[in-house]
Amino acid sequence: GAVVSQHPSRVICKSGTSVKIECRSLDFQATTMFWYRQFPKQSLMLMATSNEGSKATYEQGVEKDKFLINHASLTLSTLTVTSAHPEDSSFYICSAAGLAVRETQYFGPGTRLLVL
Amino acid sequence: SQELEQSPQSLIVQEGKNLTINCTSSKTLYGLYWYKQKYGEGLIFLMMLQKGGEEKSHEKITAKLDEKKQQSSLHITASQPSHAGIYLCGAASGGGADGLTFGKGTHLIIQP
């Protein structure tokens, strides 16, 4: 149980385009979803927290207009990287938490974004 | 802000040997999570500790949280090649509604 999926697993895009990443909790309802970013050989850094039906809370230094988060249902959150630039190239990982899993955060497999 | 220090940064252990990874927090921990990651992949949940002095085990992995809730250790007994990977400790400042702060990870290599 407690499976979280992400799609796509890898994406390559041109600079200036937008990319959408989906995060789904497959077997539990995620009241809260989190988006993290991981640069090579570094640890995960929290970008934002989203609760179903409400606006996401962004960490300091993360541009909310650049990283659009939508948590439309209890099983789906999306992260859209708008007008992507090469410096946005990174590994994006989501996690989901819910009452059914006693608030433990379960992570998706990650999405590797490469902006050319 | 909370900071987590993991040690060692990397560890090479001969198969069959025991090992310990430490995680120290600058603040009292509400909850301490241990995850395993293979490079470029997602995180696999190992254990969560919340109470001071708590100890949990799963297969050959044991994690402990000290009484003051500022330090945790992860111990692997009789290591196997499948234990290789990056071990991350993560701290919650509140309940599950808070994002986690992670340490930089410990890269474990198991030598046959």
Side-chain angles (χ1 to χ4, degrees), chain A residues 32 34 36 38 40-46 49 51 91 93 95 97 102-110 112, chain B residues 6 30 33 35 37 39-45 48 50 88-89 95-105:
Chain A
T32 309
F34 306 87
Y36 295 82
Q38 185 178 35
K41 297 187 179 180
Q42 293 187 24
S43 193
L44 282 76
M45 297 296 292
L46 178 67
T49 302
N51 293 293
F91 191 56
I93 309 180
S95 71
R102 292 179 290 176
E103 300 188 331
T104 296
Q105 289 188 32
Y106 288 89
F107 283 77
R112 186 160 300 283
Chain B
Q6 275 188 248
Y30 175 85
Y33 296 74
Y35 291 90
Q37 182 184 30
Y39 182 70
E41 299 182 11
L43 276 66
I44 300 168
F45 172 73
M48 180 180 73
Q50 282 188 303
L88 292 160
C89 64
D98 288 345
L100 300 179
T101 299
F102 284 92
K104 291 185 177 179

Side-chain angles (χ1 to χ4, degrees), chain A:
Chain A
V3 178
V4 176
S5 70
Q6 272 184 251
H7 178 80
S9 58
R10 291 172 178 264
V11 57
I12 301 173
C13 69
K14 291 182 179 179
S15 185
T17 61
S18 294
V19 175
K20 181 185 282 189
I21 302 170
E22 291 185 350
C23 177
R24 293 180 186 272
S25 57
L26 298 184
D27 50 5
F28 68 100
Q29 291 187 326
T31 49
T32 309
M33 285 185 167
F34 306 87
W35 287 96
Y36 295 82
R37 182 166 50 182
Q38 185 178 35
F39 290 107
K41 297 187 179 180
Q42 293 187 24
S43 193
L44 282 76
M45 297 296 292
L46 178 67
M47 297 175 68
T49 302
S50 75
N51 293 293
E52 186 262 340
S54 62
K55 288 185 179 180
T57 303
Y58 291 82
E59 295 299 299
Q60 195 171 13
V62 178
E63 298 174 56
K64 63 179 181 180
D65 295 329
K66 181 168 184 63
F67 298 99
L68 301 178
I69 292 172
N70 188 310
H71 192 160
S73 75
L74 285 172
T75 58
L76 174 64
S77 176
T78 59
L79 169 69
T80 302
V81 183
T82 62
S83 186
H85 290 287
E87 58 265 30
D88 298 323
S89 298
S90 188
F91 191 56
Y92 292 87
I93 309 180
C94 70
S95 71
L99 291 176
V101 291
R102 292 179 290 176
E103 300 188 331
T104 296
Q105 289 188 32
Y106 288 89
F107 283 77
T111 297
R112 186 160 300 283
L113 170 63
L114 178 61
V115 184
L116 301 176

Side-chain angles (χ1 to χ4, degrees), chain B residues 66-102:
Chain B
D66 74 337
E67 290 288 345
K68 292 183 178 180
K69 295 175 64 175
Q70 283 193 274
Q71 193 163 27
S72 178
S73 60
L74 185 83
H75 185 77
I76 298 177
T77 305
S79 58
Q80 299 170 349
S82 60
H83 289 129
I86 301 167
Y87 288 82
L88 292 160
C89 64
S93 56
D98 288 345
L100 300 179
T101 299
F102 284 92

Side-chain angles (χ1 to χ4, degrees), chain B residues 5-90:
Chain B
E5 190 78 30
Q6 275 188 248
S7 63
Q9 289 185 359
S10 62
L11 191 55
I12 301 174
V13 173
Q14 196 170 12
E15 184 178 351
K17 297 294 184 184
N18 303 337
L19 64 106
T20 300
I21 299 168
N22 294 300
C23 177
T24 302
S25 171
S26 58
K27 295 182 181 179
T28 300
L29 295 159
Y30 175 85
L32 191 286
Y33 296 74
W34 283 101
Y35 291 90
K36 179 185 171 185
Q37 182 184 30
K38 295 205 169 179
Y39 182 70
E41 299 182 11
L43 276 66
I44 300 168
F45 172 73
L46 297 175
M47 274 169 275
M48 180 180 73
L49 304 166
Q50 282 188 303
K51 299 175 184 176
E54 188 175 10
E55 180 176 319
K56 288 186 178 178
S57 293
H58 176 67
E59 298 180 344
K60 294 185 177 181
I61 301 176
T62 300
K64 299 178 185 179
L65 182 61
D66 74 337
E67 290 288 345
K68 292 183 178 180
K69 295 175 64 175
Q70 283 193 274
Q71 193 163 27
S72 178
S73 60
L74 185 83
H75 185 77
I76 298 177
T77 305
S79 58
Q80 299 170 349
S82 60
H83 289 129
I86 301 167
Y87 288 82
L88 292 160
C89 64

